[in-house]
Amino acid sequence: WLSFNFDIPILQNKNVRQAIQMGFDRAAMNNKILNNGSTSATGLVPDGIAGPGDQTFREAEGPTMPDYDPQKAKELFQKGIQEVGENPEIEMLTYDDSVSRDLATFLQSELEKMGAKLNVKLQPFAQKLKLEEDGKFQISNQAWIADYDDPMTFLDLYESSSSYNTSIAGGYKNERYDQLINGAKNEPDAAKRMDMLLEAEKILIEEDAASAPWRFYGSAYLVDTNITRFVDQPYGGGKDYSQWKLS
Protein backbone atom coordinates (compact mmCIF):
# COMPACT_ATOMS: atom_id res chain seq x y z
CA TRP A 1 0.00 0.00 0.00
CA LEU A 2 0.90 3.66 -0.11
CA SER A 3 1.28 5.15 3.37
CA PHE A 4 0.67 8.84 3.99
CA ASN A 5 2.58 11.00 6.47
CA PHE A 6 -0.05 12.97 8.36
CA ASP A 7 2.48 15.65 9.34
CA ILE A 8 2.58 16.83 5.72
CA PRO A 9 -0.07 19.57 5.19
CA ILE A 10 -1.20 18.48 1.73
CA LEU A 11 -1.59 14.88 2.94
CA GLN A 12 -3.69 16.01 5.89
CA ASN A 13 -6.38 16.84 3.35
CA LYS A 14 -8.85 13.98 2.93
CA ASN A 15 -9.78 14.95 -0.64
CA VAL A 16 -6.12 14.70 -1.68
CA ARG A 17 -5.75 11.28 -0.06
CA GLN A 18 -8.96 10.03 -1.68
CA ALA A 19 -7.77 11.35 -5.02
CA ILE A 20 -4.56 9.36 -4.68
CA GLN A 21 -6.53 6.24 -3.75
CA MET A 22 -8.53 6.32 -6.98
CA GLY A 23 -6.01 8.10 -9.19
CA PHE A 24 -3.85 5.17 -10.30
CA ASP A 25 -4.68 1.97 -12.16
CA ARG A 26 -3.98 -0.87 -9.72
CA ALA A 27 -4.87 -3.53 -12.27
CA ALA A 28 -2.30 -2.19 -14.74
CA MET A 29 0.40 -2.15 -12.06
CA ASN A 30 -0.27 -5.79 -11.26
CA ASN A 31 -0.92 -7.16 -14.74
CA LYS A 32 1.48 -5.14 -16.87
CA ILE A 33 4.39 -4.48 -14.51
CA LEU A 34 4.43 -7.27 -11.93
CA ASN A 35 2.59 -10.01 -13.83
CA ASN A 36 3.20 -12.47 -10.98
CA GLY A 37 -0.30 -13.31 -9.81
CA SER A 38 -0.72 -10.27 -7.58
CA THR A 39 -4.24 -8.84 -7.66
CA SER A 40 -5.70 -5.38 -7.14
CA ALA A 41 -6.23 -4.64 -3.46
CA THR A 42 -9.82 -4.00 -2.44
CA GLY A 43 -8.91 -3.06 1.14
CA LEU A 44 -6.09 -3.34 3.64
CA VAL A 45 -6.73 -6.93 4.76
CA PRO A 46 -5.95 -9.31 1.89
CA ASP A 47 -7.87 -12.23 0.49
CA GLY A 48 -7.78 -15.45 2.49
CA ILE A 49 -7.52 -14.00 6.00
CA ALA A 50 -10.10 -15.44 8.40
CA GLY A 51 -13.35 -13.57 8.94
CA PRO A 52 -16.72 -14.19 10.60
CA GLY A 53 -18.13 -17.72 10.53
CA ASP A 54 -17.12 -19.54 7.37
CA GLN A 55 -16.35 -16.33 5.46
CA THR A 56 -13.01 -14.67 4.90
CA PHE A 57 -12.65 -11.11 6.13
CA ARG A 58 -12.70 -9.79 2.56
CA GLU A 59 -15.84 -11.73 1.68
CA ALA A 60 -17.62 -10.27 4.71
CA GLU A 61 -16.29 -6.73 4.28
CA GLY A 62 -16.43 -6.27 0.53
CA PRO A 63 -14.34 -3.52 -1.08
CA THR A 64 -13.34 -0.49 0.97
CA MET A 65 -10.98 0.90 -1.69
CA PRO A 66 -12.63 3.00 -4.39
CA ASP A 67 -12.46 1.93 -8.03
CA TYR A 68 -9.92 3.51 -10.36
CA ASP A 69 -11.54 6.76 -11.52
CA PRO A 70 -9.06 9.29 -12.98
CA GLN A 71 -11.69 11.95 -13.65
CA LYS A 72 -13.09 11.83 -10.10
CA ALA A 73 -9.52 11.74 -8.77
CA LYS A 74 -8.70 14.92 -10.67
CA GLU A 75 -11.80 16.67 -9.30
CA LEU A 76 -11.01 15.65 -5.72
CA PHE A 77 -7.35 16.61 -6.02
CA GLN A 78 -8.18 20.05 -7.42
CA LYS A 79 -10.68 20.56 -4.61
CA GLY A 80 -8.09 19.43 -2.07
CA ILE A 81 -5.33 21.77 -3.21
CA GLN A 82 -7.78 24.67 -3.20
CA GLU A 83 -8.59 23.85 0.43
CA VAL A 84 -4.90 23.53 1.32
CA GLY A 85 -4.00 26.67 -0.61
CA GLU A 86 -1.03 25.21 -2.47
CA ASN A 87 0.06 22.34 -4.68
CA PRO A 88 3.56 21.46 -3.44
CA GLU A 89 5.75 18.67 -4.75
CA ILE A 90 5.09 15.37 -2.98
CA GLU A 91 7.93 12.94 -2.41
CA MET A 92 7.31 9.20 -2.67
CA LEU A 93 9.74 6.89 -0.92
CA THR A 94 10.28 3.45 -2.43
CA TYR A 95 12.87 0.71 -2.88
CA ASP A 96 15.77 1.01 -5.32
CA ASP A 97 15.27 -2.25 -7.23
CA SER A 98 14.28 -2.28 -10.89
CA VAL A 99 10.64 -3.37 -10.37
CA SER A 100 10.08 -0.67 -7.74
CA ARG A 101 11.53 1.88 -10.16
CA ASP A 102 9.04 0.82 -12.83
CA LEU A 103 6.15 0.95 -10.39
CA ALA A 104 7.23 4.38 -9.15
CA THR A 105 7.49 5.73 -12.68
CA PHE A 106 4.00 4.44 -13.45
CA LEU A 107 2.59 6.00 -10.26
CA GLN A 108 4.30 9.28 -11.03
CA SER A 109 2.74 9.36 -14.48
CA GLU A 110 -0.73 8.40 -13.21
CA LEU A 111 -0.86 10.95 -10.40
CA GLU A 112 0.50 13.74 -12.57
CA LYS A 113 -2.65 13.35 -14.70
CA MET A 114 -4.75 14.65 -11.80
CA GLY A 115 -2.33 17.53 -11.18
CA ALA A 116 -0.04 16.11 -8.51
CA LYS A 117 3.70 16.83 -8.62
CA LEU A 118 5.29 13.58 -7.51
CA ASN A 119 9.01 13.11 -6.98
CA VAL A 120 10.40 9.64 -6.42
CA LYS A 121 13.04 8.90 -3.77
CA LEU A 122 14.70 5.50 -4.28
CA GLN A 123 16.44 3.99 -1.27
CA PRO A 124 18.07 0.66 -0.34
CA PHE A 125 15.84 -1.52 1.86
CA ALA A 126 17.58 -0.80 5.19
CA GLN A 127 17.79 2.93 4.60
CA LYS A 128 14.15 3.07 3.55
CA LEU A 129 13.11 1.39 6.82
CA LYS A 130 15.21 3.85 8.82
CA LEU A 131 13.62 6.84 7.12
CA GLU A 132 10.16 5.40 7.83
CA GLU A 133 11.01 4.73 11.49
CA ASP A 134 12.11 8.35 11.82
CA GLY A 135 8.97 9.61 10.06
CA LYS A 136 11.09 11.11 7.28
CA PHE A 137 8.80 10.38 4.37
CA GLN A 138 5.75 11.90 2.73
CA ILE A 139 4.27 8.98 0.80
CA SER A 140 5.89 5.57 1.13
CA ASN A 141 5.32 2.38 -0.83
CA GLN A 142 5.09 -0.28 1.87
CA ALA A 143 4.02 -3.88 2.43
CA TRP A 144 3.18 -6.28 5.24
CA ILE A 145 2.87 -10.06 5.35
CA ALA A 146 0.49 -11.56 7.92
CA ASP A 147 2.09 -13.01 11.04
CA TYR A 148 -1.06 -15.00 11.84
CA ASP A 149 -4.45 -15.74 10.29
CA ASP A 150 -6.48 -12.82 11.59
CA PRO A 151 -7.25 -9.31 10.30
CA MET A 152 -5.76 -7.83 13.46
CA THR A 153 -2.28 -8.54 12.11
CA PHE A 154 -2.89 -5.71 9.62
CA LEU A 155 -5.38 -3.46 11.36
CA ASP A 156 -3.57 -2.82 14.63
CA LEU A 157 -0.63 -1.31 12.71
CA TYR A 158 -2.73 1.87 12.44
CA GLU A 159 -3.69 2.09 16.11
CA SER A 160 -2.35 5.37 17.51
CA SER A 161 -0.37 3.59 20.27
CA SER A 162 1.14 1.04 17.87
CA SER A 163 4.93 0.91 17.63
CA TYR A 164 4.38 1.12 13.87
CA ASN A 165 2.20 4.23 14.01
CA THR A 166 5.01 6.49 12.78
CA SER A 167 6.73 4.19 10.30
CA ILE A 168 3.67 2.60 8.69
CA ALA A 169 0.64 4.65 9.68
CA GLY A 170 2.36 8.02 9.26
CA GLY A 171 0.99 9.26 12.59
CA TYR A 172 -2.65 8.43 11.78
CA LYS A 173 -5.00 8.96 14.72
CA ASN A 174 -8.73 8.32 14.98
CA GLU A 175 -10.38 7.92 18.38
CA ARG A 176 -13.14 5.63 17.12
CA TYR A 177 -10.62 3.46 15.28
CA ASP A 178 -8.58 3.09 18.48
CA GLN A 179 -11.71 2.16 20.43
CA LEU A 180 -12.57 -0.56 17.92
CA ILE A 181 -9.07 -2.05 17.80
CA ASN A 182 -8.62 -1.97 21.57
CA GLY A 183 -12.12 -3.31 22.06
CA ALA A 184 -11.54 -6.17 19.63
CA LYS A 185 -8.40 -7.18 21.51
CA ASN A 186 -10.46 -7.71 24.64
CA GLU A 187 -13.80 -8.90 23.20
CA PRO A 188 -14.52 -12.57 24.06
CA ASP A 189 -17.47 -12.83 21.66
CA ALA A 190 -16.02 -13.80 18.26
CA ALA A 191 -18.91 -12.32 16.24
CA LYS A 192 -18.82 -8.98 18.06
CA ARG A 193 -15.04 -8.87 17.76
CA MET A 194 -15.20 -9.39 14.01
CA ASP A 195 -17.87 -6.69 13.66
CA MET A 196 -15.45 -4.27 15.36
CA LEU A 197 -12.68 -5.15 12.92
CA LEU A 198 -14.98 -4.83 9.91
CA GLU A 199 -16.03 -1.36 11.06
CA ALA A 200 -12.40 -0.43 11.72
CA GLU A 201 -11.28 -1.15 8.16
CA LYS A 202 -14.19 0.88 6.76
CA ILE A 203 -13.09 3.85 8.86
CA LEU A 204 -9.43 3.47 7.93
CA ILE A 205 -9.72 3.01 4.17
CA GLU A 206 -13.19 4.12 3.09
CA GLU A 207 -13.98 7.00 5.46
CA ASP A 208 -10.55 8.43 6.35
CA ALA A 209 -8.59 7.37 3.24
CA ALA A 210 -5.67 6.86 5.62
CA SER A 211 -3.91 4.40 3.31
CA ALA A 212 -4.00 3.44 -0.36
CA PRO A 213 -3.71 -0.35 -0.69
CA TRP A 214 -2.87 -1.35 -4.26
CA ARG A 215 -2.04 -5.04 -4.40
CA PHE A 216 -2.52 -8.37 -2.71
CA TYR A 217 0.68 -10.34 -3.06
CA GLY A 218 1.08 -13.04 -5.65
CA SER A 219 4.24 -14.87 -6.64
CA ALA A 220 5.43 -16.88 -9.61
CA TYR A 221 7.99 -19.64 -9.29
CA LEU A 222 9.02 -23.06 -10.53
CA VAL A 223 8.91 -26.10 -8.23
CA ASP A 224 11.38 -28.94 -8.79
CA THR A 225 9.55 -32.20 -9.54
CA ASN A 226 11.68 -33.94 -6.89
CA ILE A 227 9.91 -31.92 -4.19
CA THR A 228 6.98 -34.03 -2.99
CA ARG A 229 5.63 -31.58 -0.43
CA PHE A 230 5.70 -27.86 -1.17
CA VAL A 231 3.59 -25.43 0.84
CA ASP A 232 3.60 -21.65 0.34
CA GLN A 233 2.19 -20.49 3.67
CA PRO A 234 -0.19 -17.52 3.33
CA TYR A 235 1.06 -16.17 6.66
CA GLY A 236 3.77 -16.78 9.21
CA GLY A 237 6.30 -19.35 8.11
CA GLY A 238 6.73 -18.73 4.40
CA LYS A 239 7.61 -21.61 2.05
CA ASP A 240 7.97 -25.17 3.32
CA TYR A 241 10.11 -27.58 1.28
CA SER A 242 9.92 -30.38 3.80
CA GLN A 243 9.99 -33.47 1.58
CA TRP A 244 12.50 -34.24 -1.17
CA LYS A 245 12.27 -37.30 -3.39
CA LEU A 246 15.66 -38.86 -4.08
CA SER A 247 16.21 -39.97 -7.66
Coordinates of all heavy atoms in Angstrom, one line a residue, residues 29-96:
M29 N -0.8 -1.9 -12.8 CA 0.4 -2.1 -12.1 C 0.6 -3.6 -11.8 O 1.8 -4.1 -11.9 CB 0.3 -1.4 -10.7 CG 0.4 0.1 -10.9 SD 0.1 1.0 -9.3 CE 1.6 0.6 -8.4
N30 N -0.4 -4.4 -11.5 CA -0.3 -5.8 -11.3 C -0.1 -6.6 -12.5 O 0.7 -7.5 -12.6 CB -1.5 -6.3 -10.5 CG -1.4 -5.8 -9.0 OD1 -0.5 -6.2 -8.3 ND2 -2.5 -5.1 -8.6
N31 N -0.9 -6.3 -13.5 CA -0.9 -7.2 -14.7 C 0.2 -6.8 -15.7 O 0.7 -7.7 -16.4 CB -2.3 -7.1 -15.4 CG -3.4 -7.5 -14.5 OD1 -3.2 -8.4 -13.6 ND2 -4.6 -7.0 -14.7
K32 N 0.5 -5.5 -15.8 CA 1.5 -5.1 -16.9 C 2.9 -5.0 -16.3 O 3.9 -5.2 -17.1 CB 1.0 -3.8 -17.5 CG -0.3 -3.9 -18.2 CD -0.7 -2.6 -18.9 CE -2.0 -2.7 -19.6 NZ -2.4 -1.3 -20.2
I33 N 3.1 -4.7 -15.1 CA 4.4 -4.5 -14.5 C 4.8 -5.7 -13.7 O 5.9 -6.3 -14.0 CB 4.5 -3.2 -13.7 CG1 4.1 -2.0 -14.5 CG2 5.9 -3.0 -13.0 CD1 4.1 -0.7 -13.7
L34 N 4.0 -6.1 -12.8 CA 4.4 -7.3 -11.9 C 4.2 -8.6 -12.6 O 5.1 -9.4 -12.7 CB 3.7 -7.2 -10.6 CG 4.0 -6.1 -9.7 CD1 3.1 -6.1 -8.5 CD2 5.4 -6.2 -9.2
N35 N 3.0 -8.8 -13.1 CA 2.6 -10.0 -13.8 C 3.0 -11.3 -13.1 O 3.6 -12.2 -13.7 CB 3.2 -10.0 -15.2 CG 2.6 -11.0 -16.2 OD1 1.4 -11.4 -16.0 ND2 3.3 -11.5 -17.1
N36 N 2.8 -11.3 -11.8 CA 3.2 -12.5 -11.0 C 2.1 -13.1 -10.2 O 2.3 -13.8 -9.2 CB 4.3 -12.0 -10.0 CG 3.9 -11.0 -9.0 OD1 2.7 -10.5 -9.0 ND2 4.8 -10.6 -8.1
G37 N 0.8 -12.8 -10.5 CA -0.3 -13.3 -9.8 C -0.8 -12.4 -8.7 O -1.8 -12.7 -8.1
S38 N -0.2 -11.2 -8.5 CA -0.7 -10.3 -7.6 C -2.0 -9.7 -8.1 O -2.2 -9.6 -9.4 CB 0.3 -9.1 -7.4 OG 1.4 -9.5 -6.7
T39 N -2.9 -9.4 -7.2 CA -4.2 -8.8 -7.7 C -4.5 -7.5 -7.0 O -3.9 -7.1 -6.0 CB -5.4 -9.8 -7.2 OG1 -5.3 -10.0 -5.8 CG2 -5.2 -11.1 -7.9
S40 N -5.4 -6.7 -7.6 CA -5.7 -5.4 -7.1 C -6.3 -5.4 -5.7 O -7.3 -6.2 -5.5 CB -6.7 -4.7 -8.1 OG -6.1 -4.6 -9.4
A41 N -5.7 -4.7 -4.8 CA -6.2 -4.6 -3.5 C -7.6 -4.0 -3.4 O -7.8 -2.9 -4.0 CB -5.2 -3.9 -2.6
T42 N -8.5 -4.6 -2.7 CA -9.8 -4.0 -2.4 C -10.0 -3.4 -1.0 O -11.0 -2.9 -0.7 CB -10.9 -5.0 -2.7 OG1 -10.6 -6.2 -1.9 CG2 -10.9 -5.4 -4.2
G43 N -8.9 -3.6 -0.2 CA -8.9 -3.1 1.1 C -7.5 -3.3 1.7 O -6.6 -3.7 1.0
L44 N -7.4 -3.1 3.0 CA -6.1 -3.3 3.6 C -5.9 -4.8 3.9 O -4.8 -5.3 3.7 CB -6.0 -2.6 5.0 CG -4.6 -2.7 5.6 CD1 -3.6 -1.9 4.9 CD2 -4.7 -2.1 7.1
V45 N -6.9 -5.5 4.4 CA -6.7 -6.9 4.8 C -6.9 -7.7 3.5 O -7.9 -7.6 2.8 CB -7.8 -7.3 5.8 CG1 -7.7 -8.8 6.1 CG2 -7.6 -6.5 7.1
P46 N -5.9 -8.6 3.2 CA -5.9 -9.3 1.9 C -6.9 -10.5 1.9 O -7.4 -10.9 2.9 CB -4.5 -9.8 1.7 CG -4.0 -9.9 3.1 CD -4.7 -8.8 3.9
D47 N -7.1 -11.0 0.7 CA -7.9 -12.2 0.5 C -7.3 -13.4 1.3 O -6.1 -13.5 1.5 CB -7.8 -12.7 -1.0 CG -8.5 -11.7 -1.9 OD1 -9.5 -11.0 -1.4 OD2 -8.1 -11.6 -3.1
G48 N -8.2 -14.2 1.8 CA -7.8 -15.5 2.5 C -7.7 -15.4 4.0 O -7.7 -16.4 4.7
I49 N -7.6 -14.1 4.5 CA -7.5 -14.0 6.0 C -8.9 -14.3 6.6 O -9.9 -13.9 6.1 CB -7.0 -12.6 6.4 CG1 -5.6 -12.4 5.8 CG2 -7.1 -12.3 7.9 CD1 -4.5 -13.2 6.5
A50 N -8.9 -15.0 7.8 CA -10.1 -15.4 8.4 C -11.0 -14.3 8.7 O -10.6 -13.2 9.1 CB -9.8 -16.2 9.7
G51 N -12.3 -14.5 8.6 CA -13.3 -13.6 8.9 C -14.4 -14.2 9.8 O -14.2 -15.2 10.5
P52 N -15.6 -13.7 9.8 CA -16.7 -14.2 10.6 C -17.3 -15.5 10.0 O -17.4 -15.7 8.8 CB -17.8 -13.1 10.5 CG -17.5 -12.4 9.2 CD -16.0 -12.4 9.0
G53 N -17.5 -16.4 10.9 CA -18.1 -17.7 10.5 C -17.3 -18.4 9.5 O -16.0 -18.6 9.7
D54 N -17.9 -18.8 8.4 CA -17.1 -19.5 7.4 C -16.7 -18.6 6.2 O -16.2 -19.1 5.2 CB -18.0 -20.7 6.8 CG -19.3 -20.2 6.2 OD1 -19.6 -19.0 6.3 OD2 -20.0 -21.1 5.6
Q55 N -16.8 -17.3 6.5 CA -16.4 -16.3 5.5 C -14.9 -15.9 5.7 O -14.5 -15.9 6.9 CB -17.3 -15.1 5.5 CG -18.7 -15.3 4.9 CD -19.4 -14.0 4.9 OE1 -19.6 -13.4 6.0 NE2 -19.8 -13.6 3.8
T56 N -14.2 -15.4 4.7 CA -13.0 -14.7 4.9 C -13.4 -13.2 5.3 O -14.5 -12.8 5.1 CB -12.1 -14.7 3.6 OG1 -12.8 -13.9 2.6 CG2 -11.8 -16.1 3.1
F57 N -12.4 -12.5 5.8 CA -12.7 -11.1 6.1 C -13.1 -10.3 4.9 O -14.0 -9.5 5.0 CB -11.4 -10.5 6.7 CG -11.6 -9.1 7.2 CD1 -12.0 -8.8 8.5 CD2 -11.3 -8.0 6.4 CE1 -12.2 -7.5 8.9 CE2 -11.4 -6.7 6.8 CZ -11.9 -6.4 8.1
R58 N -12.4 -10.5 3.8 CA -12.7 -9.8 2.6 C -14.1 -10.1 2.0 O -14.8 -9.2 1.5 CB -11.7 -10.1 1.5 CG -10.4 -9.3 1.6 CD -10.4 -8.0 0.8 NE -11.3 -7.0 1.2 CZ -11.2 -6.1 2.2 NH1 -10.1 -6.1 2.9 NH2 -12.1 -5.2 2.4
E59 N -14.5 -11.4 2.1 CA -15.8 -11.7 1.7 C -16.9 -11.0 2.5 O -17.9 -10.5 2.0 CB -16.0 -13.2 1.8 CG -15.3 -14.0 0.7 CD -15.3 -15.5 1.0 OE1 -15.6 -15.9 2.2 OE2 -15.0 -16.3 0.1
A60 N -16.7 -10.9 3.8 CA -17.6 -10.3 4.7 C -17.6 -8.8 4.5 O -18.6 -8.1 4.6 CB -17.3 -10.6 6.2
E61 N -16.4 -8.2 4.4 CA -16.3 -6.7 4.3 C -16.7 -6.2 2.9 O -17.3 -5.1 2.8 CB -14.8 -6.4 4.6 CG -14.5 -4.9 4.6 CD -15.0 -4.1 5.8 OE1 -16.3 -4.1 6.0 OE2 -14.2 -3.7 6.6
G62 N -16.3 -6.9 1.9 CA -16.4 -6.3 0.5 C -15.3 -5.2 0.3 O -14.5 -5.0 1.2
P63 N -15.4 -4.5 -0.8 CA -14.3 -3.5 -1.1 C -14.5 -2.3 -0.2 O -15.6 -1.8 0.0 CB -14.5 -3.2 -2.6 CG -16.0 -3.5 -2.8 CD -16.3 -4.7 -1.9
T64 N -13.4 -1.8 0.3 CA -13.3 -0.5 1.0 C -12.5 0.5 0.2 O -12.6 1.7 0.4 CB -12.8 -0.6 2.4 OG1 -11.5 -1.3 2.4 CG2 -13.7 -1.4 3.3
M65 N -11.7 0.0 -0.8 CA -11.0 0.9 -1.7 C -11.9 1.3 -2.9 O -12.6 0.5 -3.4 CB -9.7 0.2 -2.2 CG -8.5 0.4 -1.4 SD -7.8 2.1 -1.5 CE -7.1 2.0 -3.2
P66 N -11.8 2.6 -3.2 CA -12.6 3.0 -4.4 C -12.1 2.4 -5.7 O -10.9 2.1 -5.8 CB -12.5 4.5 -4.4 CG -11.2 4.8 -3.7 CD -11.0 3.7 -2.7
D67 N -12.9 2.3 -6.7 CA -12.5 1.9 -8.0 C -11.6 3.0 -8.6 O -11.6 4.2 -8.3 CB -13.7 1.7 -9.0 CG -14.5 0.5 -8.5 OD1 -13.9 -0.4 -7.9 OD2 -15.7 0.5 -8.8
Y68 N -10.7 2.6 -9.6 CA -9.9 3.5 -10.4 C -10.8 4.5 -11.1 O -11.7 4.0 -11.9 CB -9.0 2.7 -11.3 CG -8.3 3.5 -12.3 CD1 -7.4 4.6 -11.9 CD2 -8.3 3.2 -13.7 CE1 -6.7 5.3 -12.9 CE2 -7.6 3.9 -14.6 CZ -6.8 5.0 -14.2 OH -6.0 5.7 -15.1
D69 N -10.7 5.8 -10.9 CA -11.5 6.8 -11.5 C -10.7 8.0 -11.7 O -10.7 8.9 -10.9 CB -12.8 7.0 -10.6 CG -13.8 7.9 -11.3 OD1 -13.5 8.6 -12.3 OD2 -15.0 7.8 -10.9
P70 N -10.0 8.1 -12.8 CA -9.1 9.3 -13.0 C -9.8 10.6 -13.0 O -9.2 11.6 -12.6 CB -8.3 9.0 -14.3 CG -9.2 8.0 -15.0 CD -9.9 7.2 -13.9
Q71 N -11.0 10.7 -13.6 CA -11.7 11.9 -13.6 C -12.1 12.4 -12.3 O -12.0 13.6 -11.9 CB -12.9 11.8 -14.6 CG -13.7 13.1 -14.7 CD -12.8 14.3 -15.3 OE1 -12.0 14.1 -16.2 NE2 -13.0 15.5 -14.7
K72 N -12.7 11.5 -11.5 CA -13.1 11.8 -10.1 C -11.9 12.2 -9.3 O -11.9 13.1 -8.4 CB -13.8 10.6 -9.5 CG -14.3 10.9 -8.0 CD -15.4 11.9 -7.9 CE -15.9 12.0 -6.5 NZ -16.9 13.1 -6.4
A73 N -10.8 11.5 -9.5 CA -9.5 11.7 -8.8 C -9.1 13.2 -9.0 O -8.6 13.9 -8.1 CB -8.4 10.7 -9.2
K74 N -9.1 13.6 -10.3 CA -8.7 14.9 -10.7 C -9.6 16.0 -10.0 O -9.1 17.0 -9.5 CB -8.8 15.1 -12.2 CG -8.2 16.4 -12.7 CD -8.2 16.5 -14.2 CE -7.6 17.8 -14.7 NZ -7.5 17.8 -16.2
E75 N -10.9 15.7 -9.9 CA -11.8 16.7 -9.3 C -11.5 16.8 -7.8 O -11.5 17.9 -7.3 CB -13.2 16.2 -9.5 CG -13.7 16.3 -11.0 CD -15.0 15.6 -11.2 OE1 -15.6 15.1 -10.2 OE2 -15.5 15.5 -12.4
L76 N -11.3 15.6 -7.2 CA -11.0 15.6 -5.7 C -9.7 16.3 -5.4 O -9.5 17.1 -4.5 CB -11.0 14.2 -5.2 CG -12.4 13.6 -5.0 CD1 -12.2 12.1 -4.7 CD2 -13.2 14.2 -3.9
F77 N -8.7 16.0 -6.3 CA -7.4 16.6 -6.0 C -7.4 18.1 -6.2 O -6.8 18.9 -5.4 CB -6.3 16.0 -7.0 CG -4.9 16.5 -6.7 CD1 -4.2 15.9 -5.6 CD2 -4.3 17.4 -7.4 CE1 -2.9 16.3 -5.3 CE2 -3.0 17.9 -7.2 CZ -2.3 17.3 -6.1
Q78 N -8.1 18.6 -7.2 CA -8.2 20.1 -7.4 C -8.9 20.7 -6.3 O -8.6 21.8 -5.8 CB -8.9 20.4 -8.8 CG -8.1 19.9 -10.0 CD -6.7 20.5 -10.0 OE1 -6.5 21.6 -9.8 NE2 -5.7 19.6 -10.4
K79 N -10.0 20.0 -5.8 CA -10.7 20.6 -4.6 C -9.8 20.6 -3.4 O -9.8 21.6 -2.6 CB -11.9 19.7 -4.3 CG -12.8 20.2 -3.2 CD -14.0 19.3 -3.0 CE -14.8 19.7 -1.8 NZ -16.0 18.8 -1.5
G80 N -9.0 19.5 -3.2 CA -8.1 19.4 -2.1 C -7.0 20.5 -2.1 O -6.8 21.1 -1.0
I81 N -6.4 20.8 -3.2 CA -5.3 21.8 -3.2 C -5.9 23.2 -3.0 O -5.2 24.1 -2.5 CB -4.4 21.7 -4.5 CG1 -5.2 21.9 -5.7 CG2 -3.7 20.3 -4.5 CD1 -4.4 21.9 -7.0
Q82 N -7.1 23.4 -3.5 CA -7.8 24.7 -3.2 C -8.0 24.9 -1.7 O -7.8 26.0 -1.2 CB -9.1 24.8 -3.9 CG -9.0 24.9 -5.5 CD -10.3 24.9 -6.2 OE1 -11.4 24.9 -5.5 NE2 -10.3 24.9 -7.5
E83 N -8.4 23.8 -1.0 CA -8.6 23.8 0.4 C -7.3 24.0 1.2 O -7.2 24.8 2.2 CB -9.3 22.6 0.9 CG -10.7 22.4 0.4 CD -11.3 21.0 0.7 OE1 -10.5 20.1 1.0 OE2 -12.5 20.9 0.5
V84 N -6.2 23.4 0.7 CA -4.9 23.5 1.3 C -4.3 24.9 1.0 O -3.5 25.5 1.8 CB -4.0 22.4 0.9 CG1 -2.5 22.6 1.4 CG2 -4.5 21.0 1.3
G85 N -4.5 25.4 -0.2 CA -4.0 26.7 -0.6 C -2.7 26.6 -1.4 O -2.1 27.6 -1.6
E86 N -2.3 25.4 -1.7 CA -1.0 25.2 -2.5 C -1.0 23.8 -3.1 O -1.8 22.9 -2.7 CB 0.2 25.4 -1.6 CG 0.3 24.4 -0.4 CD 1.6 24.5 0.4 OE1 2.5 25.2 -0.1 OE2 1.6 24.0 1.5
N87 N -0.1 23.6 -4.1 CA 0.1 22.3 -4.7 C 1.6 22.0 -4.7 O 2.2 22.1 -5.7 CB -0.5 22.3 -6.1 CG -0.4 21.0 -6.8 OD1 -0.2 20.0 -6.1 ND2 -0.6 20.9 -8.1
P88 N 2.1 21.7 -3.5 CA 3.6 21.5 -3.4 C 4.0 20.1 -4.1 O 3.1 19.3 -4.3 CB 3.8 21.4 -1.9 CG 2.5 20.9 -1.4 CD 1.4 21.4 -2.2
E89 N 5.2 20.0 -4.3 CA 5.7 18.7 -4.7 C 5.6 17.7 -3.6 O 5.8 18.0 -2.4 CB 7.2 18.8 -5.2 CG 7.4 19.6 -6.4 CD 8.9 19.7 -6.9 OE1 9.8 19.3 -6.1 OE2 9.1 20.1 -8.0
I90 N 5.2 16.4 -4.0 CA 5.1 15.4 -3.0 C 6.2 14.3 -3.3 O 6.3 13.9 -4.4 CB 3.7 14.7 -3.1 CG1 2.6 15.8 -2.9 CG2 3.6 13.6 -2.0 CD1 1.2 15.2 -3.1
E91 N 6.9 13.9 -2.2 CA 7.9 12.9 -2.4 C 7.4 11.5 -2.1 O 6.8 11.3 -1.0 CB 9.1 13.3 -1.5 CG 10.3 12.4 -1.7 CD 11.5 12.8 -0.8 OE1 11.5 12.3 0.4 OE2 12.3 13.5 -1.2
M92 N 7.7 10.6 -2.9 CA 7.3 9.2 -2.7 C 8.6 8.4 -2.4 O 9.4 8.3 -3.3 CB 6.5 8.6 -3.8 CG 6.0 7.2 -3.4 SD 5.0 6.4 -4.8 CE 6.4 5.9 -5.8
L93 N 8.6 7.7 -1.3 CA 9.7 6.9 -0.9 C 9.5 5.5 -1.4 O 8.4 4.9 -1.1 CB 9.9 6.9 0.6 CG 11.0 6.1 1.2 CD1 12.4 6.6 0.8 CD2 10.9 6.2 2.8
T94 N 10.4 4.8 -2.0 CA 10.3 3.4 -2.4 C 11.7 2.8 -2.5 O 12.7 3.4 -2.3 CB 9.5 3.3 -3.8 OG1 9.1 2.0 -4.0 CG2 10.4 3.8 -4.9
Y95 N 11.6 1.5 -2.8 CA 12.9 0.7 -2.9 C 13.6 1.0 -4.2 O 13.1 1.5 -5.1 CB 12.5 -0.8 -2.8 CG 11.6 -1.1 -1.7 CD1 10.3 -1.3 -1.9 CD2 12.1 -1.3 -0.4 CE1 9.4 -1.6 -0.8 CE2 11.3 -1.6 0.7 CZ 9.9 -1.8 0.5 OH 9.1 -2.1 1.5
D96 N 14.9 0.7 -4.2 CA 15.8 1.0 -5.3 C 16.0 -0.1 -6.3 O 16.9 -0.1 -7.1 CB 17.1 1.5 -4.8 CG 17.9 0.5 -4.1 OD1 17.4 -0.6 -3.8 OD2 19.1 0.8 -3.8

